[in-house]
Amino acid sequence: MKFILSLFLLLYCTVSFSQDYYQSDIIIYGGTSAAITAAVQAKKLGKSVIVVSPDQHLGGLSSGGLGFTDTGNKSVIGGLAREFYHRVYLHYQTDSAWKWQKREEYGNKGQGTPAMDGENRTMWIFEPHVAERIFEDFVAENSILVMRDEWLDRTTGVRKEDGRIKSIKTLSGKVFEGKVFIDATYEGDLMAAAEVSYHVGRESNATYGETWNGVQIGVYQHRHYFKNPVSAYQIPGDPTSGLLPEISSEPPGVNGQGDTRIQAYTFRLAMSRNPANRVPFEKPENYDPARYELLARVYETGWDETFDKFDPIPNLKTDTNNHGPFSTDYIGKNYEYPEARYSEREAIIKDHEIYQKGLLYFLSHDPQVPQKVRDKMAQWGLAKDEFKDNGNWPHQIYVREARRMIGDYVMTEYDVLGDKEVPQPIGMGSYSLDSHNVQRFVTEDGMVQNEGDIGVHPKNPYSISYGTLIPKKSECENLLVPVCVSSSHTAFGSIRMEPVFMILGQSAAAAAVLAIESGLSVQDISYSKLESILLQENQILSLKY
């Protein structure tokens, strides 16, 4: 016992702790990919760190089903993010990695780039369990202390003195004291509890002089809308019969107008078509086929794109994403999520799960679905070797957007689209301004339509400002926020990609270390010193490097 305790103290020599009290240089709240890269960077720069994770599984969406990575221009992904994708590549170079499929049978299809890039020794497409193993390896190799299933007390759990967070307390009663804190959650719970300004929903176009913010009726930049007319009513054409399920009765608003609605959430499913590794789609509790009547009517119009986003990942699996006018996105059912209590969020997540499981059962069993679709769906099931402790269902819902900080610098679509020079760059993004649908409404002529889906491509990769990670100094001097960054809805639509979150997590940790060593607030550190550190750590900050 003494030997085990001595070993533990050696591993975490600069972390002080008692039964319910822990002290470290840096406290990271969250278990996302950004949280882990931040922790690794902090340890590399010689600081003690504790990851306080509400999650049991590390990696967020990267290990939660989103294996068909939204890379954009992969050349601007550097640092620990590139190291992650390099480790994915190394894993799939081994014969043992290909249990259900021969390597040469894998098509190497990626999201705008080949899945496997032999020249740069990176791989951008992967199975969920592979990603989780890499994050766990990062933790073990760097002797990072991770406290799992620890949920911030959002009511009284943040203690501040003189504009700085002194400690946070979790619902279990544990207290974590640090010099600098990093909120790496998808929801921004620590940021909110620390009374930092933030926004939920879409700003109006007038707020920042943007074009693609606010309500976007009639904007169809992907294929996720009702291309052919479909009546919104139980009896087609008869408003007195009532609306079909999954359609809002609220007016959609006026184009460019801000609202508190947020883009739809979903689960990114790992599905298998190998008979030995698939679990059939079961009928969920309280299954009601009537709630999928809209999809049946879409099929009646001749729509035939059911399988267009069954994106292949290794071993005959998919990362299954939303596609089309009625799909896995549960539109309009997540508006309360960002501010909801934990129990309320749990109910929202369960509601999404039931909806999506019902949809899978409908697609594979209901006679209103074309026979050829049902026959093909019969070849698929949930991957038996993924999420084994959760009934093969992802442990992380896709929180595409929740709170967004209003911080020292607000990124807008002008920054992303290259219309202005971004100050103090600490990483890069390149994906399109991408928002999934926000609402499903009734048009003036009684038809159903979706709204909110946009996809506007930047001309070039763009820099992300350090100011997006830091609150206003008057609100908090020792907090960094690399996920719920300071940006408009439209800019966040591009920033919100998993490789970028890893990049920003790493950069946030480097800034935290500088703040500690200089004795300054995170707002007052030397950018030139931060830039030097990030370049040494192989971050790519702008197109000039």
Side-chain angles (χ1 to χ4, degrees):
M1 185 67 185
K2 288 183 178 179
F3 171 75
I4 294 174
L5 180 60
S6 297
L7 179 60
F8 189 78
L9 289 171
L10 179 63
L11 289 174
Y12 306 108
C13 57
T14 53
V15 175
S16 300
F17 58 92
S18 62
Q19 185 174 358
D20 293 314
Y21 175 81
Y22 298 78
Q23 188 176 41
S24 184
D25 291 326
I26 299 171
I27 305 295
I28 300 170
Y29 183 60
T32 62
S33 59
I36 303 308
T37 56
V40 172
Q41 185 61 69
K43 290 298 292 280
K44 287 182 69 176
L45 294 177
K47 295 296 180 258
S48 60
V49 62
I50 302 174
V51 174
V52 182
S53 173
D55 309 306
Q56 291 281 4
H57 297 272
L58 302 180
L61 255 296
S62 285
S63 59
L66 205 168
F68 198 75
T69 307
D70 301 312
T71 56
N73 186 325
K74 66 183 185 298
S75 68
V76 299
I77 299 172
L80 290 169
R82 181 162 286 266
E83 171 64 17
F84 171 85
Y85 296 106
H86 172 59
R87 292 189 181 207
V88 172
Y89 173 85
L90 293 178
H91 171 81
Y92 286 107
Q93 291 302 299
T94 64
D95 291 339
S96 60
W98 299 91
K99 181 177 180 180
W100 306 108
Q101 181 182 34
K102 294 180 180 179
R103 184 191 289 109
E104 57 270 21
E105 294 175 350
Y106 178 62
N108 210 31
K109 174 189 174 186
Q111 178 81 293
T113 181
M116 195 179 303
D117 182 353
E119 180 181 354
N120 293 292
R121 295 175 61 79
T122 51
M123 187 166 177
W124 307 96
I125 312 298
F126 48 85
E127 298 160 278
H129 74 271
V130 173
E132 185 171 2
R133 181 69 265 160
I134 293 170
F135 288 119
E136 293 289 355
D137 288 345
F138 277 150
V139 166
E141 292 166 13
N142 292 279
S143 302
I144 295 167
L145 178 59
V146 179
M147 305 294 291
R148 303 175 199 242
D149 197 24
E150 291 291 341
W151 298 78
L152 177 68
D153 179 342
R154 291 159 56 191
T155 305
T156 61
V158 177
R159 183 168 68 92
K160 289 176 72 177
E161 293 180 7
D162 300 323
R164 302 176 72 89
I165 301 173
K166 299 297 290 184
S167 65
I168 63 173
K169 181 179 68 175
T170 58
L171 294 179
S172 69
K174 293 182 177 66
V175 174
F176 299 88
E177 183 175 316
K179 299 173 182 175
V180 175
F181 292 76
I182 296 175
D183 183 343
T185 63
Y186 291 121
E187 296 83 5
D189 283 342
L190 174 54
M191 170 189 73
E195 300 181 327
V196 167
S197 298
Y198 61 86
H199 186 82
V200 175
R202 299 182 285 189
E203 299 90 351
S204 70
N205 274 329
T207 303
Y208 298 116
E210 295 176 295
T211 300
W212 302 109
N213 214 330
V215 175
Q216 298 287 317
I217 296 170
V219 176
Y220 306 127
Q221 294 173 336
H222 292 118
R223 290 179 285 163
H224 311 316
Y225 66 99
F226 291 82
K227 185 176 182 180
N228 298 306
V230 173
S231 176
Y233 302 113
Q234 300 272 1
I235 300 174
D238 181 4
T240 65
S241 65
L243 290 173
L244 286 171
E246 317 307 338
I247 302 173
S248 172
S249 61
E250 296 296 317
V254 178
N255 273 14
Q257 179 183 63
D259 58 23
T260 57
R261 302 177 178 113
I262 55 177
Q263 58 180 306
Y265 295 173
T266 188
F267 287 94
R268 297 287 285 256
L269 300 180
M271 292 162 51
S272 171
R273 59 184 173 92
N274 186 305
N277 191 43
R278 72 175 181 229
V279 179
F281 302 125
E282 296 183 354
K283 181 189 292 186
E285 187 178 355
N286 300 321
Y287 170 71
D288 180 7
R291 71 187 307 190
Y292 308 104
E293 171 65 22
L294 264 179
L295 179 57
R297 294 188 185 182
V298 170
Y299 281 125
E300 289 176 356
T301 69
W303 184 79
D304 189 23
E305 300 177 13
T306 305
F307 302 97
D308 280 21
K309 287 301 289 180
F310 279 43
D311 291 320
I313 61 177
N315 284 307
L316 299 177
K317 299 177 191 175
T318 67
D319 165 1
T320 304
N321 196 7
N322 176 84
H323 180 73
F326 190 103
S327 185
T328 58
D329 278 1
Y330 196 25
I331 299 172
K333 303 303 174 71
N334 60 344
Y335 299 158
E336 307 302 321
Y337 181 89
E339 303 277 38
R341 296 191 296 268
Y342 292 133
S343 60
E344 294 169 333
R345 284 183 185 165
E346 186 177 355
I348 292 169
I349 291 169
K350 187 64 178 178
D351 191 32
H352 278 69
E353 179 183 336
I354 291 170
Y355 163 79
Q356 207 161 335
K357 285 182 173 179
L359 175 63
L360 294 170
Y361 188 82
F362 181 84
L363 284 167
S364 52
H365 290 84
D366 198 280
Q368 295 182 91
V369 175
Q371 185 66 52
K372 67 177 183 178
V373 174
R374 282 181 280 149
D375 290 344
K376 191 168 182 179
M377 281 297 294
Q379 301 173 26
W380 292 96
L382 298 178
K384 188 183 296 185
D385 60 351
E386 301 289 352
F387 315 118
K388 292 188 286 186
D389 64 348
N390 197 42
N392 310 110
W393 195 258
H395 44 71
Q396 174 67 60
I397 194 170
Y398 194 172
V399 180
R400 289 192 172 100
E401 190 171 12
R403 300 182 179 99
R404 297 187 310 281
M405 182 169 62
I406 303 174
D408 208 51
Y409 184 89
V410 180
M411 289 277 290
T412 70
E413 63 187 51
Y414 291 106
D415 300 282
V416 173
L417 297 177
D419 294 329
K420 60 185 291 191
E421 185 174 349
V422 176
Q424 300 186 332
I426 42 82
M428 297 193 74
S430 62
Y431 206 74
S432 62
L433 304 174
D434 183 76
S435 172
H436 280 233
N437 279 306
V438 173
Q439 59 180 327
R440 180 177 287 133
F441 67 99
V442 184
T443 66
E444 291 182 357
D445 57 356
M447 299 295 115
V448 60
Q449 193 52 266
N450 297 334
E451 182 276 320
D453 187 278
I454 60 171
V456 180
H457 294 276
K459 296 183 285 289
N460 294 296
Y462 59 90
S463 296
I464 300 171
S465 173
Y466 175 59
T468 65
L469 306 185
I470 53 178
K472 298 171 184 175
K473 188 176 180 182
S474 61
E475 295 181 346
C476 192
E477 296 186 11
N478 66 334
L479 174 68
L480 293 127
V481 184
V483 176
C484 295
V485 295
S486 178
S487 68
S488 70
H489 162 73
T490 48
F492 192 75
S494 177
I495 294 169
R496 66 176 182 85
M497 305 302 155
E498 287 291 302
V500 178
F501 286 155
M502 294 186 213
I503 290 167
L504 299 183
Q506 181 178 6
S507 294
V513 170
L514 268 181
I516 292 169
E517 292 182 344
S518 63
L520 298 172
S521 70
V522 295
Q523 293 84 5
D524 292 335
I525 63 170
S526 165
Y527 172 71
S528 63
K529 291 181 180 179
L530 177 60
E531 179 186 44
S532 178
I533 292 172
L534 295 179
L535 291 175
Q536 290 173 19
E537 296 295 329
N538 298 314
Q539 290 280 51
I540 300 169
L541 308 184
S542 70
L543 290 177
K544 70 180 181 180
Y545 292 109

